[in-house]
Amino acid sequence: MLFFENLLLAFSSLLTNKMRSLLTMLGIIIGIGSVIAIVTVGNALTNSITSEMSDMGANNIVIGVQQRETEDEVDESGKRYGGKINARDMTDNDLIKKEYIEELLAAFPEEIKGISIESVLGTAKVEKGRNYANVRITGVTPGYFMANNIKMQYGNELSDKAYMEGKSVCLVSDHFVNNMYDGDSSKAIGRDIEIEMSGGRKYFVFTIVGVYKYESQGFDMTATKDVTTPVYIPIKNAIKKNHAKGFPSITIITAKGVDSDDFAFRVKNFMNRYYHNNRQYTISTFSLAQMVESMTTMLGTVSTAISIVAAISLVVGGIGVMNIMLVSISERTREIGTRKALGATNGSIRTQFIMEAIVLCLVGGILGILVGLAGGAAGAKALGYEASPTASSIIAALIFSMVVGVFFGYYPANKAAKMNPIDALRYE
Amino acid sequence: MKRKKKNQEIIIEDISNTAPDLVSGEPVGFETSEKSERISTNTAPDLVSGDDNIVIDMKHIIKRYFIGQPNELEVLHGVDMQVRRGEFVAIVGQSGSGKSTLMNVIGALDRPTEGEYTLDGVDMFNAKDKDLSAIRCKKIGFVFQTYNLVARTSALKNVELPMLYAGLSGRARSRKAKELLEMVDMTERMHHQPDELSGGQKQRVAIARAMANDPAIILADEPTGALDSHTGRLIMDIFHRLHEEQGKTIILITHSPELASECTRILTLKDGLFIDEKKGSGRNAVL
Ligand SMILES: Nc1ncnc2c1ncn2[C@@H]1O[C@H](COP(=O)(O)OP(=O)(O)OP(=O)(O)O)[C@@H](O)[C@H]1O
Ligand SMILES: [Mg+2]
């Protein structure tokens, strides 16, 4: 009963000095807000990585050409290369060649389920009347669609024959269809698209056989209409045109039941046989599991840093609360004296002011949660993920702000409680 | 006379202070012997010791400030005072004579440095802080010169405060508070906050609040001091009504000889000692 009275009292004194209360709560708001925001964003990120992992299966292994860390190299002119800064440009000799890939597939027929390679031909603007679409012509292997979880929406996939013979057929995105054919996929099938590469010296024609669903890749600032979407063609066709001698990276899809971490290591050793004598470049492998792990570690570091900032602002906020409570108590000294004259015990005065500090912190905490949720949602959206706040973090924030209230409210409240009634009444 | 002795220093002072007392039965004063002879308060009430009807029983109350410091100041020099149930006592005296100091000791807001004090059968000198809170809550009703209503709190809630601290339920508090506000004719204004009330209205609310827990005694320190004579009259009439109709024991400090004379007994304090006691006329010549 006294609890309820104290609660009302605390709210009324909070409302009496709205501006002062708000400024006092700022530290708490920032502290709690940043914790909630980071938890929301972090959680969104983790969720989307996890779902991505289950989408693609955690069994993709990226094999890439990477600079060696330490070795130095002196070329004919006596110029030194080495480290990361002075790296010699990658030449055709450094790339992963077709023969390497064939030998790799032969060496691990059981473990490798598919292979995903892309080779970009270039970007272009396809125009027809007033319609236009930005495209990137990309040669791919059949495994590409599995590795990147790309789904067909209309028509046929690229056929085996098309892959084998390197035919001039292509898949376009639903976005492309929206721009060029008013969203009617049936109109697109069978059409030829004429592509003039930048510079205008190269001119290609591809026949559309299917439409795939385009998933935007995270953060994209381009106006929706202008977004560049891939046009997929058989890789053989692309190589015919760009004469690629190899690839800087390829992705293999492992079969079910293969330990991708362990297999990544074996693949790395296998591939590095070709790079024994290469002093500047080497092969490194990366499994999605490893990527998730390093992402989580990074996220953990960021969270820790933000938590420290939050803790500091909570302490500063708490000190602000303590300060304002001391001010409030000295302003209300006569009231304290009066209450004591009317029979308030030290305990009830103490409870009254601790309650006031708790309410101050709790309201700050709630505002902080709202700010944090809004910020977290905005942050997650900007990164292209679904915001997912956790109930546990909200409850923890509420409890934490109460604890701050009790901790920093106790000293002022105790000071008020211990006032001599007559001194308090005579206070001017 | 039994004394509580706090430390060696005080004992020494005590002896020198009390010696004449033991002989003459009269307290030491700064007054001439001629004036001292008129003091009857300090001896006469002894006759009624142990009487159930005694609400306040003070013996040789000493109050010092700045104890142990060079500017140590003794404000009350050994006051004896008895008040019986149903009395309406006026305390008068010059400014600075120690009236408020005495009132604060009576009301358990302050502790005497030395002396014996029993309020409604409770030994106040040895009471703990918590006990004093309970006594202030249930046995004493204060009315201050400056009203001391709690700001931003309605008249009704102000009157409810002592009952809140006494642990009454919300409904009981509200019912009793409305009754009390009705009694002081403040029903219409019960939802107003102190800053929306006139001085006289505030004081009426304060009186209602003082009555909240049906205290054994009401202490009023210059309740009309900040009011014009007409409003002061109104307030004084309320005290008379409480005294006559409800038989309340009231102690009133006032600078108005007229108001003092309406009480049943008038005590005059001078330089920390009672120097005079007179019977008052009573408003309707009750006693
Ligand atoms: N807390 C205190 N500390 C030091 N001295 C005090 C304190 N309270 C009162 N005094 C002193 O005690 C003396 C009596 O003060 P008190 O307030 O009791 O006078 P009073 O009779 O009520 O006067 P008034 O009629 O003006 O209200 C004064 O000299 C005052 O300075
Ligand atoms: Mg006074």
Side-chain angles (χ1 to χ4, degrees):
Chain A
M1 176 201 53
L2 217 73
F3 172 85
F4 188 65
E5 295 290 329
N6 278 331
L7 201 67
L8 279 181
L9 216 62
F11 272 109
S12 89
S13 76
L14 190 112
L15 289 175
T16 315
N17 296 301
K18 285 190 200 73
M19 193 60 187
R20 190 167 92 177
S21 306
L22 196 71
L23 290 175
T24 307
M25 289 186 283
L26 214 55
I28 309 279
I29 294 175
I30 292 171
I32 297 285
S34 49
V35 169
I36 295 290
I38 191 68
V39 169
T40 306
V41 172
N43 214 41
L45 220 59
T46 316
N47 276 0
S48 90
I49 290 170
T50 325
S51 76
E52 224 164 275
M53 258 172 75
S54 61
D55 270 1
M56 316 188 187
N59 31 15
N60 286 359
I61 296 172
V62 178
I63 304 167
V65 180
Q66 206 184 34
Q67 284 162 31
R68 285 192 197 276
E69 287 281 343
T70 49
E71 304 236 344
D72 284 4
E73 196 179 56
V74 184
D75 70 7
E76 309 84 62
S77 61
K79 196 171 175 189
R80 280 183 89 80
Y81 293 100
K84 286 248 165 175
I85 308 142
N86 260 335
R88 166 173 66 75
D89 284 344
M90 211 184 277
T91 65
D92 287 350
N93 270 332
D94 299 318
L95 296 172
I96 301 171
K97 296 195 177 60
K98 204 174 149 227
E99 304 84 66
Y100 303 172
I101 299 166
E102 278 161 3
E103 282 175 45
L104 178 72
L105 289 171
F108 302 103
E110 298 288 305
E111 289 89 342
I112 299 174
K113 189 171 143 199
I115 192 142
S116 159
I117 308 172
E118 62 176 331
S119 183
V120 176
L121 213 52
T123 56
K125 190 171 185 179
V126 178
E127 278 173 293
K128 197 178 135 214
R130 287 175 60 233
N131 294 337
Y132 70 92
N134 292 319
V135 296
R136 182 170 49 248
I137 314 297
T138 310
V140 294
T141 57
Y144 183 88
F145 298 93
M146 202 202 304
N148 293 288
N149 197 34
I150 294 167
K151 301 261 169 18
M152 289 304 291
Q153 204 175 49
Y154 195 85
N156 301 313
E157 295 179 22
L158 298 176
S159 63
D160 287 350
K161 198 173 173 219
Y163 280 116
M164 298 288 282
E165 296 172 10
K167 288 193 167 188
S168 287
V169 290
C170 70
L171 301 180
V172 293
S173 65
D174 51 343
H175 181 84
F176 180 91
V177 171
N178 283 343
N179 277 11
M180 300 296 291
Y181 303 107
D182 303 321
D184 188 350
S185 298
S186 62
K187 275 199 225 162
I189 304 295
R191 296 282 182 114
D192 286 349
I193 55 172
E194 299 167 14
I195 290 163
E196 208 175 311
M197 291 300 219
S198 27
R201 265 187 277 136
K202 293 172 189 164
Y203 175 80
F204 308 123
V205 178
F206 299 102
T207 309
I208 301 173
V209 295
V211 179
Y212 70 90
K213 171 123 187 55
Y214 174 73
E215 301 276 358
S216 87
Q217 298 291 303
F219 201 52
D220 204 334
M221 297 281 272
T222 330
T224 337
K225 193 172 165 57
D226 292 339
V227 169
T228 302
T229 61
V231 166
Y232 295 119
I233 60 171
I235 194 159
K236 227 175 196 170
N237 190 289
I239 291 170
K240 268 190 227 166
K241 291 175 169 119
N242 67 8
H243 311 293
K245 297 281 185 299
F247 316 97
S249 79
I250 62 173
T251 303
I252 54 177
I253 304 147
T254 55
K256 264 213 166 64
V258 174
D259 176 351
S260 56
D261 268 0
D262 171 65
F263 186 57
F265 184 72
R266 282 159 65 201
V267 167
K268 185 178 168 180
N269 285 343
F270 181 88
M271 291 298 282
N272 266 324
R273 293 180 308 133
Y274 306 113
Y275 288 80
H276 246 274
N277 299 322
N278 193 328
R279 300 180 64 100
Q280 281 269 300
Y281 288 93
T282 180
I283 287 290
S284 69
T285 52
F286 229 149
S287 68
L288 193 69
Q290 283 171 309
M291 264 154 78
V292 168
E293 200 171 297
S294 66
M295 194 103 167
T296 316
T297 318
M298 193 196 76
L299 208 66
T301 319
V302 173
S303 303
T304 311
I306 295 216
S307 301
I308 290 169
V309 172
I312 292 170
S313 68
L314 276 178
V315 169
V316 172
I319 292 169
V321 168
M322 183 150 121
N323 186 35
I324 221 69
M325 289 304 296
L326 287 170
V327 170
S328 163
I329 279 159
S330 100
E331 278 174 358
R332 285 155 68 188
T333 303
R334 279 180 71 99
E335 179 192 320
I336 293 164
T338 305
R339 286 176 183 276
K340 289 200 156 188
L342 299 180
T345 57
N346 293 359
S348 60
I349 298 284
R350 191 183 299 119
T351 316
Q352 180 191 334
F353 284 100
I354 288 185
M355 195 77 132
E356 201 168 312
I358 291 177
V359 165
L360 199 62
C361 289
L362 211 52
V363 171
I366 290 168
L367 290 179
I369 289 170
L370 295 179
V371 167
L373 287 180
K381 193 159 187 221
L383 292 170
Y385 302 115
E386 192 120 338
S388 60
T390 59
S392 63
S393 68
I394 290 171
I395 291 165
L398 289 177
I399 291 174
F400 208 75
S401 41
M402 267 171 79
V403 169
V404 168
V406 174
F407 187 82
F408 289 100
Y410 186 83
Y411 172 75
N414 203 39
K415 198 177 152 178
K418 284 201 176 140
M419 276 181 193
N420 181 337
I422 195 63
D423 291 343
L425 271 172
R426 295 171 72 108
Y427 182 85
E428 316 246 298
Chain B
M1 243 181 212
K2 204 172 70 193
R3 295 278 150 68
K4 316 279 175 195
K5 290 165 180 102
K6 281 203 149 177
N7 57 38
Q8 201 58 33
E9 193 185 358
I10 291 171
I11 292 169
I12 295 162
E13 278 190 47
D14 247 5
I15 293 163
S16 59
N17 253 348
T18 50
D21 193 15
L22 294 169
V23 178
S24 65
E26 284 175 6
V28 187
F30 303 101
E31 309 306 322
T32 58
S33 58
E34 171 200 67
K35 273 188 176 171
S36 300
E37 276 166 12
R38 292 176 57 201
I39 299 168
S40 49
T41 335
N42 304 301
T43 46
D46 277 345
L47 299 171
V48 291
S49 279
D51 187 330
D52 266 1
N53 271 334
I54 298 214
V55 185
I56 290 171
D57 189 2
M58 282 185 149
K59 288 189 185 120
H60 210 85
I61 292 293
I62 290 173
K63 180 68 193 178
R64 295 190 194 99
Y65 289 111
F66 312 117
I67 292 164
Q69 290 171 34
N71 55 345
E72 184 171 310
L73 178 70
E74 190 169 296
V75 178
L76 299 177
H77 302 295
V79 174
D80 291 353
M81 179 178 177
Q82 260 94 21
V83 176
R84 313 185 80 192
R85 226 173 275 282
E87 276 196 286
F88 190 170
V89 180
I91 298 177
V92 297
Q94 281 168 4
S95 187
S97 56
K99 301 183 297 294
S100 295
T101 305
L102 177 63
M103 198 66 130
N104 294 335
V105 171
I106 296 172
L109 284 173
D110 210 355
R111 289 172 181 275
T113 315
E114 280 176 46
E116 267 182 69
Y117 173 26
T118 311
L119 173 78
D120 206 21
V122 180
D123 174 13
M124 299 289 276
F125 196 92
N126 293 313
K128 296 194 187 81
D129 273 357
K130 209 171 175 165
D131 303 330
L132 292 186
S133 293
I135 285 162
R136 287 195 295 266
C137 185
K138 300 207 174 115
K139 295 200 187 250
I140 297 164
F142 284 101
V143 180
F144 303 94
Q145 179 176 2
T146 50
Y147 326 120
N148 282 348
L149 295 185
V150 174
R152 291 178 277 105
T153 306
S154 70
L156 188 68
K157 289 282 171 198
N158 259 288
V159 178
E160 284 186 23
L161 266 183
M163 296 184 266
L164 181 79
Y165 292 125
L168 262 69
S169 76
R171 194 170 301 155
R173 290 202 304 264
S174 164
R175 182 166 10 92
K176 182 80 190 281
K178 281 175 185 158
E179 266 174 43
L180 289 167
L181 284 170
E182 163 102 66
M183 181 191 79
V184 294
D185 200 16
M186 282 294 293
T187 308
E188 275 165 42
R189 297 284 182 145
M190 69 183 176
H191 295 300
H192 287 242
Q193 299 195 350
D195 55 4
E196 298 159 357
L197 298 174
S198 76
Q201 290 170 330
K202 281 192 238 192
Q203 199 59 298
R204 280 189 275 162
V205 174
I207 293 171
R209 186 176 69 179
M211 292 289 293
N213 286 329
D214 206 10
I217 184 162
I218 288 182
L219 304 178
D221 191 345
E222 298 186 46
T224 62
L227 302 172
D228 65 76
S229 61
H230 174 75
T231 317
R233 178 74 261 155
L234 218 78
I235 296 298
M236 194 60 188
D237 287 345
I238 296 175
F239 282 117
H240 278 300
R241 260 172 48 214
L242 293 178
H243 175 233
E244 287 156 18
E245 291 167 16
Q246 304 194 23
K248 281 285 163 219
T249 314
I250 301 170
I251 300 179
L252 170 86
I253 293 178
T254 180
H255 282 287
S256 156
E258 186 199 339
L259 295 184
S261 70
E262 294 172 10
C263 300
T264 55
R265 189 150 62 109
I266 304 148
L267 296 172
T268 309
L269 198 64
K270 187 172 185 196
D271 293 335
L273 278 176
F274 283 125
I275 52 161
D276 189 29
E277 179 184 19
K278 274 192 300 217
K279 234 180 169 183
S281 58
R283 182 170 63 148
N284 300 319
V286 175
L287 280 169

